[in-house]
Amino acid sequence: MKIGILAIQGDFNAHAAMLHKLGVETVEVRTVADLRGCRGIILPGGESTTQLQFLQEEGLFDAIRNFSAQGGAVFGTCAGAILLATKVENPPQSSLGLLDITVLRNGYGRQLASDVFFEPTSLKSDPLEMVFIRGPIIESIAPDIQILASHEEKPALVQKNNLLAATFHPELTSDPTVHRHFLQMVASPATNTSSSR
Ligand code: GLN
């Protein structure tokens, strides 16, 4: 099983390191051809405006939408979650529009240093470590989207079928829980919404 990681900017290496720790092969995605043979793709943090422009220029915008429509799993963290949303505010910008959420960019404030919190999650019994770096707030969410964890009463980790979005950075911790969950989604697409407790 091979997982692609969008490798334009941001912390794509940290995602790769996490997946390697879980024994999974990764490929850096910069072109449409790189996506071939991947079962899932991770859209990492960074600056969503820059990433969006790159996706559009390289034809990856449509390629990722098609990939998802054909059942490929997509996991967006922070800027990646912004790219997945149907509606983006502060300021408004276009997006892949795959996951029916509205996000407010930099919604938790423009802190330069990262803030770390531990919050309950349905993925495991212990609280989940969440590193926020100028993350978006999920302001509204369609009723059929599953909330796997929240922060300050806002959904922070959400899933619908083959789509997973985190407003924080699970790749910057040593806890593989969220990435392991993504791999389960990739491995069993038919049961992916019921795989979490
Ligand atoms: N603030 C960034 C944006 O709006 C996201 C920050 C991040 O990915 N850590 O695109």
Side-chain angles (χ1 to χ4, degrees):
M1 175 161 80
K2 196 170 71 175
I3 303 291
I5 305 175
L6 183 68
I8 306 164
Q9 52 150 222
D11 55 351
F12 54 88
N13 281 324
H15 280 288
M18 186 66 95
L19 291 180
H20 296 162
K21 214 162 76 179
L22 294 170
V24 172
E25 191 192 338
T26 63
V27 59
E28 294 183 359
V29 173
R30 295 188 187 85
T31 65
V32 174
D34 293 335
L35 199 51
R36 236 166 265 148
C38 292
R39 295 274 303 275
I41 182 169
I42 294 182
L43 310 177
E47 204 54 45
S48 55
T49 313
T50 308
Q51 299 194 1
L52 179 68
Q53 198 184 342
F54 184 91
L55 293 184
Q56 286 165 338
E57 283 168 8
E58 289 301 317
L60 275 163
F61 187 90
D62 290 332
I64 293 171
R65 283 176 52 87
N66 292 338
F67 178 78
S68 149
Q70 287 159 13
V74 187
F75 175 22
T77 58
C78 210
I82 296 169
L83 292 174
L84 282 178
T86 43
K87 193 164 178 213
V88 180
E89 294 174 344
N90 190 38
Q93 75 184 13
S94 62
S95 53
L96 293 164
L98 294 172
L99 190 61
D100 196 359
I101 56 176
T102 299
V103 296
L104 182 68
R105 294 179 63 195
N106 302 302
Y108 290 105
R110 292 200 67 94
Q111 76 275 18
L112 286 178
S114 57
D115 279 340
V116 183
F117 301 91
F118 288 83
E119 304 281 7
T121 175
S122 57
L123 296 181
K124 61 171 188 165
S125 50
D126 294 337
L128 183 66
E129 183 176 359
M130 296 181 178
V131 177
F132 286 89
I133 306 172
R134 297 189 298 282
I137 278 183
I138 297 178
E139 276 197 315
S140 66
I141 177 166
D144 58 352
I145 297 179
Q146 202 180 357
I147 300 172
L148 304 178
S150 297
H151 173 60
E152 291 183 356
E153 291 170 21
K154 301 286 187 186
L157 178 63
V158 299
Q159 180 189 353
K160 184 175 177 198
N161 300 328
N162 56 335
L163 303 170
L164 182 68
T167 59
F168 56 99
H169 292 268
E171 75 285 3
L172 297 182
T173 72
S174 56
D175 180 358
T177 300
V178 180
H179 288 78
R180 195 177 284 137
H181 180 70
F182 179 61
L183 294 177
Q184 281 167 5
M185 289 166 51
V186 174
S188 51
T191 56
N192 53 24
T193 47
S194 56
S195 61
S196 56
R197 279 182 286 134

